[in-house]
Amino acid sequence: MQYVISDTHLMDENLLGMDEFAPRPFATTAAMDQAIIDHWNARVKPTDVVYHLGDIAVDLHRPEKVVNAAIYERLMALNGRLVLLKGNHDRRSLFKYLAAHNVTVAGQAKFELHDVGKLIKYNHRQYYLTHYPLLLGIAPQIRNLHGHIHHYQLPYATNLNVGVDAPELNFLVQPVPFGTPLSMAEVETIAAKKATWLAAQQQGKE
């Protein structure tokens, strides 16, 4: 199975609390991180692939070496092979640390690292995976899965925010627990419902 997620912001104390930007009702980063790990592992199997679209973790108070080791520990606690895209909060040194400490899972590397983006195919459609939203123009067979903007969604059917705080998650009939990676089937459900909602919004303006 393939899953996608973005903007977990592990260890980020600045996102704690019920802020409109990223409502996270946790008293501590340890509680938030554990919730993400638990909900992730309840869905993802060790042999699954999870595409993480950036902003993995944030801790600006400790030395980079200490922070990188702490992030590595948390990522090793997550099931699946992780395809990691670099977000604006992800340091270059983290990716170097992960590459140097990579391990093998089911005969393949635990971590696959990308600076900018990744192209995948699912159900006869192409998906560009990026951290920042990518404006595609008229390209009905291509969708952009992204993160970065947390509480905001772009008014385009081809752009889908898959971050843990994304408003697009409200298009799901069955909500997912906080920090749960989305299946590609759920992504397609979100895409269809967002397109319908946008069309209705446009009709209302005419």
Side-chain angles (χ1 to χ4, degrees):
M1 288 282 289
Q2 297 181 97
Y3 298 94
V4 293
I5 195 170
S6 188
D7 295 271
T8 46
H9 279 251
L10 297 164
M11 306 189 299
D12 192 350
E13 62 184 24
N14 292 322
L15 292 190
L16 295 176
M18 293 305 292
D19 182 88
E20 182 182 332
F21 177 70
R24 302 189 178 197
F26 301 97
T28 65
T29 57
M32 178 179 71
D33 294 356
Q34 193 59 54
I36 291 173
I37 292 169
D38 290 345
H39 295 153
W40 180 304
N41 289 344
R43 164 169 282 193
V44 178
K45 297 177 182 178
T47 53
D48 291 334
V49 176
V50 181
Y51 298 92
H52 193 307
L53 310 189
D55 284 2
I56 301 162
V58 180
D59 183 340
L60 303 177
H61 303 296
R62 295 182 291 174
E64 282 191 38
K65 289 183 179 180
V66 175
V67 173
N68 290 342
I71 297 172
Y72 178 80
E73 180 182 352
R74 285 159 175 76
L75 293 181
M76 288 299 296
L78 298 173
N79 284 345
R81 292 179 47 243
L82 310 185
V83 180
L84 304 174
L85 278 60
K86 189 175 179 296
N88 56 296
H89 286 291
D90 299 320
R91 291 166 166 160
R92 169 65 51 200
S93 65
L94 170 63
F95 275 40
K96 289 182 178 179
Y97 186 97
L98 296 177
H101 296 82
N102 214 341
V103 297
T104 300
V105 175
Q108 299 187 65
K110 171 79 172 178
F111 305 117
E112 180 183 323
L113 309 169
H114 295 272
D115 283 342
V116 179
K118 174 82 173 178
L119 175 65
I120 65 172
K121 294 182 179 180
Y122 179 81
N123 197 19
H124 308 293
R125 188 184 295 274
Q126 291 183 321
Y127 286 86
Y128 280 112
L129 313 183
T130 57
H131 178 65
Y132 300 101
L134 181 66
L135 298 183
L136 298 169
I138 301 174
Q141 288 304 114
I142 303 176
R143 290 178 180 147
N144 172 224
L145 305 185
H146 65 85
H148 184 61
I149 54 178
H150 290 266
H151 71 306
Y152 182 68
Q153 64 177 354
L154 293 180
Y156 309 112
T158 52
N159 292 89
L160 304 173
N161 184 355
V162 295
V164 298
D165 311 303
E168 275 96 328
L169 298 179
N170 293 324
F171 288 117
L172 290 173
V173 176
Q174 183 67 39
V176 296
F178 175 78
T180 302
L182 298 173
S183 70
M184 292 304 295
E186 286 170 329
V187 167
E188 293 210 319
T189 296
I190 290 171
K193 292 195 173 183
K194 183 177 181 181
T196 300
W197 179 80
L198 287 171
Q201 295 289 106
Q202 186 61 36
Q203 260 192 335
K205 293 178 181 179
E206 295 174 353

